Amino acid sequence: MAALMAAVAAAASTVFATLHLTKPAIPLTRTTHRHLRTIIASSLSSAPSTTPEFNITFAPPKPKLKPKPASESATETPGHDSASELDDQLYIPWIVRDENGNLTLQSTPPARLLHAMGNAETKKKKKKKEKDSKAKPASPTAEPKFSKAARRFYNENFRDPPQRLSKVLAAAGVASRRNSEELIFGGKVTVNGSVCNTPQTRVDPVRDVIYVNGNRLPKKLPPKVYFALNKPKGYICSAGEKETKSVLSLFNDFMNSWDKRNPGLPKPRLFTVGRLDVATTGLLIVTNDGDFAQKLSHPSSKLSKEYIATIDGSVNKRHLITISEGTVVEGVQCAPDIVELLPPQPDLSRPRIRIVVHEGRNHEVRELVKNAGLEIHALKRIRIGGFRLPSDLGIGKHVELKQANLRALGWKS
């Protein structure tokens, strides 16, 4: 046992001298000294003989160096600074038992201790992550805004069904329906990447990708608009003829302010419902709803149209009878519903005839009056169906129709 103690003491003194432990940077207190003796005693407790104790003492602390001027510190070599730092560093010896059961001194902790500390830190991090994951509630999945049944009900009852391609192009303001058909026949329209040459193809602008001349058709179609225009004399109802004025030019202010009033929506393509010749004035319906225009202009609607014809010359009973008997217009026998001579007015020198028709053929009223041997000075339409031209609507002005006005025209939207 004495030989073992002597060997350990010699090894310890050698290690302390090698690791500069004879001049520690900081003094050890009595408590630290007692704790170090306990550690060494516990490390040697596994030995078969009686536990030895080491009485390890240290030299007094190294005196602190005075700070050097900046000029001197700049000239020092970096190797000298690192050496002084090593002298001031305190090393703690580790007395461990090797594989052969012998006690050895080393300056680093045993490998098994380092592994145990690393495993303990890893387990702590895993537990912390598990606690955090349990503490944070799982984000609920975003519920659909509407159920499948609700969406199906909407699609079946409220969503617009697929429409003909030419009709969709006309509603989007690309061109008239006839010109849209010419674009389709010319191969300038593609649907979902394929050229479409059939105007009757059913498409849905929301789901289908439609291109016209390389430009994408907007998914949102413009809203339906309905106007009543007091048409002035000298304007035609068709668009595209530059030599004469068109009634659509009276809506330039409305179209120019469209983007400001309806941001994000494409401009509607307006057209007239039926026609009035260039010399006829009065009530004219303007819209972008093709179904509405087709309904009003079709003969099956049997909407009555009332005109006031101002006549040059005198009008007698024979003229009224001849007009009421009718005449042939475009190969069809047409007769008016009502023919009436209006009472004279002090401010009007010419006689006026009230004529109500329902055929709506081209120049029908003018042909009826001409067949009676009379000459028309002025012709004005004042009523279509149950809607009458507002008396306060100035010439060349328009007013937007309300639902009650549309119902008066026989339209159920």
Side-chain angles (χ1 to χ4, degrees):
M1 185 61 186
L4 178 61
M5 290 293 292
V8 171
S13 61
T14 305
V15 171
F16 290 160
T18 304
L19 298 178
H20 305 282
L21 294 180
T22 57
K23 297 180 180 180
I26 55 174
L28 298 178
T29 60
R30 183 177 299 177
T31 307
T32 308
H33 185 195
R34 188 184 307 113
H35 183 63
L36 183 60
R37 293 179 60 183
T38 306
I39 294 177
I40 296 174
S42 60
S43 301
L44 299 175
S45 59
S46 58
S49 58
T50 309
T51 303
E53 292 186 4
F54 295 91
N55 187 9
I56 301 175
T57 58
F58 296 93
K62 184 177 180 180
K64 295 183 179 180
L65 298 177
K66 295 181 179 181
K68 298 180 180 180
S71 60
E72 297 182 4
S73 59
T75 58
E76 287 185 353
T77 58
H80 180 74
D81 295 340
S82 59
S84 62
E85 291 179 0
L86 289 175
D87 293 339
D88 296 340
Q89 188 175 1
L90 175 63
Y91 289 89
I92 300 177
W94 291 84
I95 302 176
V96 297
R97 191 180 300 275
D98 58 9
E99 297 178 356
N100 300 326
N102 300 325
L103 295 176
T104 59
L105 284 175
Q106 60 184 33
S107 59
T108 57
R112 61 178 181 275
L113 178 60
L114 296 177
H115 290 308
M117 293 174 62
N119 295 335
E121 291 180 359
T122 306
K123 290 180 180 179
K124 287 181 180 179
K125 290 181 179 179
K126 289 183 179 180
K127 290 182 179 179
K128 187 176 181 181
K129 289 182 180 180
E130 292 178 358
K131 289 182 180 179
D132 294 342
S133 61
K134 290 181 180 179
K136 292 181 181 179
S139 57
T141 56
E143 297 181 359
K145 191 173 182 180
F146 300 103
S147 63
K148 290 184 178 179
R151 293 196 298 270
R152 188 185 305 111
F153 178 81
Y154 172 81
N155 294 334
E156 293 176 356
N157 297 274
F158 297 98
R159 188 169 184 172
D160 296 335
Q163 302 176 358
R164 295 189 304 274
L165 179 59
S166 59
K167 182 178 179 180
V168 171
L169 297 183
V174 174
S176 64
R177 189 172 298 186
R178 183 176 301 175
N179 293 337
S180 298
E181 292 178 355
E182 294 178 359
L183 291 173
I184 296 172
F185 288 133
K188 299 181 179 180
V189 181
T190 61
V191 178
N192 298 327
S194 302
V195 178
C196 182
N197 297 319
T198 309
Q200 294 79 15
T201 303
R202 298 282 177 171
V203 295
D204 184 357
V206 177
R207 297 182 178 180
D208 298 325
V209 180
I210 305 173
Y211 278 85
V212 181
N213 288 327
N215 298 323
R216 172 77 181 270
L217 194 73
K219 291 185 176 181
K220 291 184 179 180
L221 296 179
K224 301 296 192 304
V225 292
Y226 309 89
F227 296 100
L229 172 69
N230 189 357
K231 177 187 174 297
K233 188 177 181 179
Y235 284 78
I236 62 173
C237 294
S238 59
E241 300 182 14
K242 299 180 180 179
E243 63 273 12
T244 352
K245 293 180 290 186
S246 171
V247 293
L248 299 181
S249 63
L250 301 174
F251 292 86
N252 287 339
D253 294 340
F254 171 78
M255 299 301 291
N256 293 335
S257 60
W258 175 266
D259 293 335
K260 188 177 296 184
R261 291 180 290 104
N262 303 277
L265 292 179
K267 292 182 180 180
R269 189 192 66 84
L270 299 179
F271 51 86
T272 61
V273 180
R275 294 187 177 186
L276 291 177
D277 57 57
V278 66
T280 305
T281 63
L283 178 60
L284 183 66
I285 305 299
V286 179
T287 182
N288 65 334
D289 190 347
D291 294 335
F292 172 75
Q294 180 70 14
K295 175 69 176 178
L296 263 65
S297 58
H298 199 272
S300 62
S301 62
K302 296 182 178 180
L303 284 176
S304 60
K305 301 173 182 65
E306 183 176 345
Y307 295 82
I308 301 296
T310 303
I311 307 298
D312 285 334
S314 61
V315 179
N316 54 41
K317 188 175 182 180
R318 182 181 57 84
H319 294 138
L320 300 179
I321 294 174
T322 305
I323 294 175
S324 62
E325 288 177 353
T327 185
V328 178
V329 180
E330 297 178 349
V332 179
Q333 179 68 27
C334 298
D337 297 337
I338 300 175
V339 179
E340 179 186 2
L341 180 63
L342 297 178
Q345 293 184 1
D347 56 341
L348 297 176
S349 59
R350 294 181 176 87
R352 298 179 302 153
I353 301 177
R354 173 175 170 261
I355 302 176
V356 180
V357 298
H358 67 273
E359 292 285 344
R361 298 192 177 273
N362 192 24
H363 303 294
E364 179 180 357
V365 176
R366 292 185 180 273
E367 292 294 333
L368 290 172
V369 175
K370 181 181 178 181
N371 184 60
L374 298 175
E375 185 178 351
I376 292 180
H377 175 75
L379 183 62
K380 181 178 182 179
R381 183 163 63 183
I382 62 172
R383 180 177 63 85
I384 299 177
F387 179 75
R388 188 174 294 272
L389 180 68
S391 58
D392 58 345
L393 187 61
I395 298 176
K397 302 298 180 181
H398 58 83
V399 62
E400 190 168 358
L401 300 179
K402 300 179 181 179
Q403 289 296 328
N405 306 133
L406 297 178
R407 287 193 294 268
L409 291 168
W411 175 250
K412 297 179 180 179
S413 57

